[in-house]
Amino acid sequence: MSLRQALGFWLKLGFISFGGPAGQIAIMHHELVERRRWISERRFLHALNYCMLLPGPEATQLATYIGWLMHRTWGGIVAGGLFVLPSVFILIALSYVYMAFGHVPLVAGLLYGVKPAVVAIVLAAAWRIGSRALRHPVLWGISLAAFVAIYLLHVPFPAIVLAAAALGALGGRLLPRAFRPGPAHGGAATGFGPALIDDDTPTPEHARYSPRRLAAYLAAGLGLWLAPLLALAAVSGWDGTLTQMGLFFTKAALLTFGGAYAVLPYVYQAAVEHFHWLTAPQMIDGLALGETTPGPLIMVVAFVGFVGGWAKALFGPEQLFLAGAAAAVVASYFTFLPSFLFILVGGPLVEATHGDLKYTAPLTGITAAVVGVVVSLALFFAEHVFWPRGAGGPTDWISLAAGALALVLLTRFKFGLIPLVGAMAAAGAALRLAGLA
């Protein structure tokens, strides 16, 4: 299989990867394991289990890993890059429509209908993660403590991650049964037939550990991070908006254990409350747009960057689109750069650490904390959607009923995300245009 042949598939995947990480991984499994037979079931799950341990979007990292395994460094860069790039351009376009025409009644109505669905989607995500991760009362305790810390005590998200990792490391020694990883993602499927990368295919030379190659990847990664950051600082100073975005989204990328929903409260805290790049209602709207576009959900950072660049008028009032697009590119670049480095550096080391409780127990603790953090995110959003004028203001009963209906459809009837969001948007537009909402 040549890189040129693979390129066509990775580009297609970038445009059809709806449904969040679970949907995206299912699409890759169907295409690569079942249909095209590029990689065997066992090798696919082995790569997936490694990517689930990493901070960052696991579906993007899985595509990067398989591309790297098949076609070396450039294969990984092409696979991961094409998985992400379509959603960057789509979100920049949607962000422009939102900022330029967001107050038009039709657009406002669409967003009015989508917001309750977003609250339900986040709650459903908490249920999915929790049902898989909270297998022991100790993990429930960590999750509850994380919720109290971030929602009531306003403890910064990085501190919660570090505390959960420390508890996991300690728990792995004192109570190993509670912190042992759960069952693998699925089981070995029965005969799909021989694959290009099969169970007994030897590890290719480029995927074996080499100190020289490791040093080269680390040096290249550091250069690709530091050079643009220094360029931004030279142009706008270390306190400039674009420089601050580069620094902040680098930190966010290193803390996204548990997927995009886990890091969104951190992005919310910083982008809304600290840097004031956007408002809380705009953050909810951005998540709604992220849910309805292909690519990883963490791509909502492109919306955050666009709105921040537009609001700060970085290049003057006549160049708002250019400012927003530049900020969206900066946010996306610094968010996804570490994911590529994790795969290229860590891929050859997978066999040495996978399944070792010393390494997995801290991550189990972090995953438990993530459940509480995601619930807090849902409550953050619910406050602004169902009580738009504040906790003491009137309740938006239409939104509350719509959110409850969406939650039932998602959890009880397994309704698809895209049909749900589309139906809610249409209903919101109809209500707004009829003057009922």
Side-chain angles (χ1 to χ4, degrees), residues 14-166:
F15 283 100
I16 65 170
S17 55
F18 291 94
Q24 292 155 2
I25 290 168
I27 290 171
M28 277 190 276
H29 185 275
H30 174 74
E31 290 283 346
L32 300 179
V33 176
E34 300 176 30
R35 181 166 171 262
R36 300 171 189 263
R37 301 300 297 141
W38 288 0
I39 188 170
S40 71
E41 170 86 350
R42 186 175 298 174
R43 296 289 281 264
F44 181 90
L45 292 177
H46 181 70
L48 174 59
N49 287 336
Y50 171 58
C51 294
M52 291 293 289
L53 296 177
L54 296 172
E58 59 265 35
T60 306
Q61 291 166 338
L62 180 60
T64 305
Y65 191 106
I66 295 173
W68 163 76
L69 197 60
M70 293 179 64
H71 297 115
R72 308 171 67 91
T73 302
W74 276 110
I77 293 172
V78 166
L82 292 180
F83 188 86
V84 167
L85 281 177
S87 59
V88 174
F89 293 120
I90 291 171
L91 265 177
I92 287 175
L94 290 176
S95 300
Y96 170 72
V97 171
Y98 174 83
M99 293 302 291
F101 306 106
H103 298 291
V104 174
L106 175 61
V107 178
L110 292 170
L111 292 171
Y112 176 79
V114 166
K115 288 177 183 179
V118 169
V119 177
I121 288 168
V122 178
L123 277 173
W127 173 260
R128 285 197 311 272
I129 300 170
S131 62
R132 187 176 67 243
L134 304 182
R135 305 179 305 274
H136 192 277
V138 172
L139 301 179
W140 277 95
I142 293 175
S143 180
L144 180 61
F147 171 80
V148 171
I150 196 166
Y151 187 72
L152 298 178
L153 304 179
H154 306 290
V155 176
F157 180 67
I160 294 173
V161 170
L162 292 174

Side-chain angles (χ1 to χ4, degrees), residues 235-325:
V235 172
S236 61
W238 287 104
D239 293 327
T241 298
L242 292 179
T243 311
Q244 289 296 309
M245 284 185 176
L247 290 168
F248 167 71
F249 286 112
T250 298
K251 288 191 291 183
L254 299 176
L255 292 169
T256 51
F257 291 99
Y261 289 111
V263 81
L264 282 173
Y266 179 45
V267 175
Y268 178 96
Q269 281 182 333
V272 175
E273 299 174 359
H274 180 67
F275 293 110
H276 306 292
W277 291 331
L278 74 173
T279 65
Q282 287 175 329
M283 185 71 189
I284 301 169
D285 294 339
L287 184 56
L289 293 177
E291 291 281 8
T292 54
T293 53
L297 178 59
I298 194 59
M299 188 50 72
V300 72
V301 300
F303 176 86
V304 173
F306 189 98
V307 175
W310 180 295
K312 300 291 185 181
L314 299 180
F315 305 143
E318 302 299 322
Q319 301 291 341
L320 294 179
F321 172 79
L322 186 60

